[in-house]
Amino acid sequence: MEKQERTDNHADEIVNCVVYRHGERQEHVDVAEISDILKEDKSFVWLGLYQPEPAFMQKLQEEFGLHELAIEDALLAHQRPKIEQYGESVFIVVKTAYMQAQQHITFGETHFFLGKNFLITVRHGSREGYAAIREKAEKNHAMLSQGPGYALYCILDFIVDNYSKITQTLSERIGNLEDGMFSTRFDNHALEQVYHLRRQLLALRNAAMPVTEICPQLVRFHEDIIPKNLRAYLRDVQDHAHHVMIDAEDMRETLASAMQVNLALVSVQQSEVNKKLAGWGAILIVPTIVFSMYGMNFSDMPELHSHFGYPVALGSTLLICCIMWWRLKRAGWL
């Protein structure tokens, strides 16, 4: 009864807690029994947590022998992606990313405690768990029998695959948005979309970049946890993360170029309008000057008493306007 109460108290925090022996899933275990299971050979514990409380993490610290600094980091979200070694265990922080229905990227975090016979995942932010990844990993008994390194690879591969899916979705959006940017019409909404997309791509690139550093460190410095035949898989994750970085940066450059082209086209269009307005203004200034002269009311203006004065003044004005229109038309101002 006491065991059941301990499990229920942390039901919201514990997603799954399973022991694996020789690559086979054996049973769900209570946290209080983990320290005994860790003493067994050819077995490891895979514990999944979601936003745990400090009291529960302190209990895990005692059961797994975790470092207090790693526990402190795991309790706080908004950690920078990193890999740190504390004694015989490794602490890893990786950013997760999911595309929502509103075409907005939601970022979260997954913290890993990795040892020779245990893997603890602590999720922050996203409610989407790793149950499907666990099921997939459990089908490969040969790899799972070598320890928690394969389980870590499966989750990292899933996270990076999500990065790739997001870049593909954003690439299609950017293609559609780019077509509309080649217009002389100023579109404030389109420019706002471009700005937000560039920010999301920057965040995605910054999430993928540390993975390209974490995987080589796991391969080089943690051979006791990462078996030799698993290193090629981690290098593959590293390669995929590197491609995400390149794709994100290329799309950012594409959006910046499209935005600059749109602003340049709008500027050119505005310049053309200004040229036409200036051209017509130059033409209309001629009759304005001529006709304003007749408002002076001087009695000694000779053309006032001439029979052909009005037709000559009017014809001269029209002729000058036509000549100016012809010259400006040839110059491309009208």
Side-chain angles (χ1 to χ4, degrees):
M1 184 65 181
E2 182 181 356
K3 175 181 176 180
Q4 183 65 32
E5 289 178 354
R6 284 198 302 265
T7 304
D8 291 344
N9 288 339
H10 305 291
D12 296 335
E13 304 171 67
I14 301 177
V15 179
N16 223 327
C17 185
V18 180
V19 59
Y20 296 88
R21 295 185 176 91
H22 301 281
E24 296 285 346
R25 178 182 179 131
Q26 296 297 314
E27 58 183 343
H28 290 270
V29 295
D30 186 70
V31 175
E33 301 173 353
I34 289 177
S35 56
D36 296 330
I37 297 174
L38 295 179
K39 299 176 183 178
E40 301 178 7
D41 294 330
K42 300 296 182 178
S43 64
F44 75 92
V45 175
W46 185 350
L47 173 61
L49 305 175
Y50 179 73
Q51 299 183 174
E53 296 295 329
F56 182 60
M57 290 301 295
Q58 290 178 0
K59 185 175 182 180
L60 289 183
Q61 180 182 357
E62 298 173 358
E63 292 293 327
F64 288 93
L66 304 175
H67 198 279
E68 59 181 355
L69 292 178
I71 293 294
E72 181 181 344
D73 288 345
L75 286 170
L76 300 175
H78 309 294
Q79 294 287 329
R80 64 176 181 84
K82 61 181 179 179
I83 177 171
E84 298 283 352
Q85 182 170 2
Y86 296 99
E88 297 182 355
S89 64
V90 180
F91 179 65
I92 303 171
V93 179
V94 176
K95 291 284 186 181
T96 58
Y98 301 92
M99 181 67 79
Q100 294 182 337
Q102 296 84 2
Q103 300 297 308
H104 177 75
I105 304 176
T106 299
F107 290 94
E109 295 177 18
T110 295
H111 301 177
F112 300 89
F113 292 92
L114 179 65
K116 293 181 181 180
N117 48 6
F118 66 86
L119 174 65
I120 305 173
T121 61
V122 182
R123 289 188 293 113
H124 290 278
S126 175
R127 298 288 301 182
E128 185 173 351
Y130 301 129
I133 308 305
R134 185 187 290 267
E135 292 178 5
K136 179 181 177 181
E138 289 173 353
K139 294 178 182 179
N140 195 333
H141 304 297
M143 295 296 293
L144 205 59
S145 64
Q146 300 183 44
Y150 180 70
L152 172 69
Y153 153 74
C154 290
I155 297 177
L156 289 177
D157 185 58
F158 173 75
I159 292 173
V160 174
D161 281 346
N162 273 342
Y163 295 163
S164 299
K165 293 176 182 177
I166 292 173
T167 56
Q168 292 175 5
T169 302
L170 292 182
S171 179
E172 296 175 0
R173 285 184 59 191
I174 290 171
N176 297 330
L177 186 61
E178 189 179 11
D179 293 337
M181 295 294 289
F182 289 94
S183 170
T184 57
R185 181 176 59 88
F186 180 77
D187 190 342
N188 184 65
H189 178 66
L191 289 179
E192 186 178 349
Q193 281 187 302
V194 169
Y195 174 76
H196 288 299
L197 277 173
R198 293 193 78 233
R199 287 194 62 183
Q200 290 186 356
L201 286 168
L202 177 62
L204 185 63
R205 189 202 68 174
N206 291 341
M209 184 184 298
V211 179
T212 63
E213 302 172 359
I214 291 172
C215 291
Q217 289 193 44
L218 286 170
V219 171
R220 295 175 186 173
F221 305 117
H222 303 285
E223 298 179 358
D224 54 334
I225 302 177
I226 306 300
K228 186 175 182 179
N229 57 346
L230 185 59
R231 297 169 193 170
Y233 292 88
L234 286 175
R235 283 192 290 267
D236 183 64
V237 173
Q238 176 189 359
D239 183 62
H240 289 176
H242 183 69
H243 280 296
V244 170
M245 286 175 50
I246 294 175
D247 292 342
E249 193 60 35
D250 288 346
M251 285 188 283
R252 276 175 49 83
E253 291 296 328
T254 299
L255 286 172
S257 299
M259 185 167 56
Q260 291 174 359
V261 168
N262 178 256
L263 294 176
L265 290 174
V266 171
S267 179
V268 169
Q269 178 66 15
Q270 291 176 344
S271 177
E272 290 295 322
V273 172
N274 291 334
K275 286 168 62 177
K276 291 179 181 180
L277 292 175
W280 283 110
I283 294 173
L284 294 175
I285 198 66
V286 176
T288 302
I289 294 174
V290 173
F291 298 152
S292 65
M293 294 176 62
Y294 288 90
M296 297 180 184
N297 297 322
F298 291 121
S299 59
D300 293 332
M301 296 178 71
E303 64 273 15
L304 291 178
H305 306 288
S306 173
H307 181 70
F308 298 101
Y310 179 73
V312 171
L314 187 60
S316 300
T317 302
L318 291 175
L319 178 62
I320 295 173
C321 289
C322 289
I323 293 173
M324 292 186 66
W325 178 86
W326 176 70
R327 291 296 300 273
L328 292 172
K329 185 72 173 177
R330 287 190 60 185
W333 280 57
L334 295 177

